[in-house]
Amino acid sequence: GAVVSQHPSWVICKSGTSVKIECRSLDFQATTMFWYRQFPKQSLMLMATSNEGSKATYEQGVEKDKFLINHASLTLSTLTVTSAHPEDSSFYICSALVNRERDYGYTFGSGTRLTVV
Amino acid sequence: AQTVTQSQPEMSVQEAETVTLSCTYDTSESNYYLFWYKQPPSRQMILVIRQEAYKQQNATENRFSVNFQKAAKSFSLKISDSQLGDTAMYFCATLYNAGNMLTFGGGTRLMVKP
């Protein structure tokens, strides 16, 4: 099946610094990737949709200047949390749309646990 | 807006028994996909089963099967012969071709007891 590799799996950073999270599609081209945030014991909350070669579309309430998304190639999308604060601590998950008949749907990265201290 | 509702926040089942997780959704679309995802303690989202709305036959994957009632907009997941490794959060989700956006339910936490 289609695989998305997400790194790092966990990161601890100091307040005010920036953190970059990468998601790579390994065996397919991901023209569309989605970034989610998940709080403990809650569902996934869509933050933004990124399309290769164009600007990301952010959901209402998500600060685009804080959560920078770049989708420069068909296999790589990155989320940069800028000037991180403790309230940004969360679990971030990327997902890519697999547009193949045999396995149409979403595949997910393994997630990144961000802790801001 | 599309909505997906999972009315059971938590459920438990004895090992080897059968459990059914409920999911209802609201849509005006005629063509869409329905999914059940499993999120174990590792937090990796794992696809359990997929159903195309235009197919009347219920999808099955080994011990997992669905009861898809299109008119009622219901999509329940049945887990047979429950195993300890089935302990996880389960999310129902819908995907509409027009928007290509996945809409999740709130999740059901399933505990399989030995």
Side-chain angles (χ1 to χ4, degrees), chain B residues 52-114:
Chain B
E52 291 94 329
Y54 64 87
K55 291 187 177 179
Q56 293 185 341
Q57 186 174 6
N58 289 326
T60 61
E61 286 288 341
N62 301 314
R63 298 183 295 107
F64 299 88
S65 62
V66 298
N67 183 4
F68 175 44
Q69 301 291 327
K70 190 172 184 178
K73 296 179 182 176
S74 171
F75 182 60
S76 61
L77 174 69
K78 186 172 81 171
I79 305 174
S80 305
D81 186 25
S82 297
Q83 300 176 359
L84 297 178
D86 295 334
T87 293
M89 279 288 287
Y90 286 82
F91 293 100
C92 176
T94 57
L95 175 60
Y96 305 98
N97 291 337
N100 277 345
M101 188 178 80
L102 201 60
T103 301
F104 284 98
T108 295
R109 183 174 301 278
L110 177 67
M111 173 72 72
V112 180
K113 298 180 178 179

Side-chain angles (χ1 to χ4, degrees), chain A residues 34 36 38-44 46 59 91 93 97 101-106 108-110 113, chain B residues 33 35 37 39 42-45 47 50 52 54 89 91 95-97 100-102 104-107 109:
Chain A
F34 302 83
Y36 295 86
Q38 187 180 31
F39 292 104
K41 298 186 178 181
Q42 293 188 21
S43 189
L44 281 71
L46 180 66
E59 295 299 301
F91 191 70
I93 308 176
L97 178 64
E101 178 62 29
R102 67 178 186 273
D103 52 6
Y104 181 81
Y106 277 50
F108 289 81
S110 55
R113 183 180 302 279
Chain B
Y33 292 81
F35 304 88
Y37 284 93
Q39 189 180 40
S42 68
R43 303 191 78 170
Q44 171 73 60
M45 293 287 284
L47 177 64
R50 181 185 79 166
E52 291 94 329
Y54 64 87
M89 279 288 287
F91 293 100
L95 175 60
Y96 305 98
N97 291 337
N100 277 345
M101 188 178 80
L102 201 60
F104 284 98
R109 183 174 301 278

Side-chain angles (χ1 to χ4, degrees), chain A residues 12-72:
Chain A
I12 301 173
C13 71
K14 292 183 178 180
S15 288
T17 61
S18 296
V19 173
K20 180 183 284 188
I21 302 170
E22 291 190 350
C23 275
R24 294 181 182 274
S25 58
L26 299 185
D27 55 352
F28 69 102
Q29 292 183 334
T31 55
T32 304
M33 280 202 179
F34 302 83
W35 288 93
Y36 295 86
R37 184 172 181 175
Q38 187 180 31
F39 292 104
K41 298 186 178 181
Q42 293 188 21
S43 189
L44 281 71
M45 180 185 75
L46 180 66
M47 298 175 65
T49 302
S50 75
N51 292 292
E52 185 268 335
S54 62
K55 290 184 178 180
T57 302
Y58 290 82
E59 295 299 301
Q60 191 173 8
V62 178
E63 298 176 60
K64 61 181 180 181
D65 294 330
K66 165 167 276 294
F67 299 101
L68 299 179
I69 291 173
N70 184 282
H71 195 159

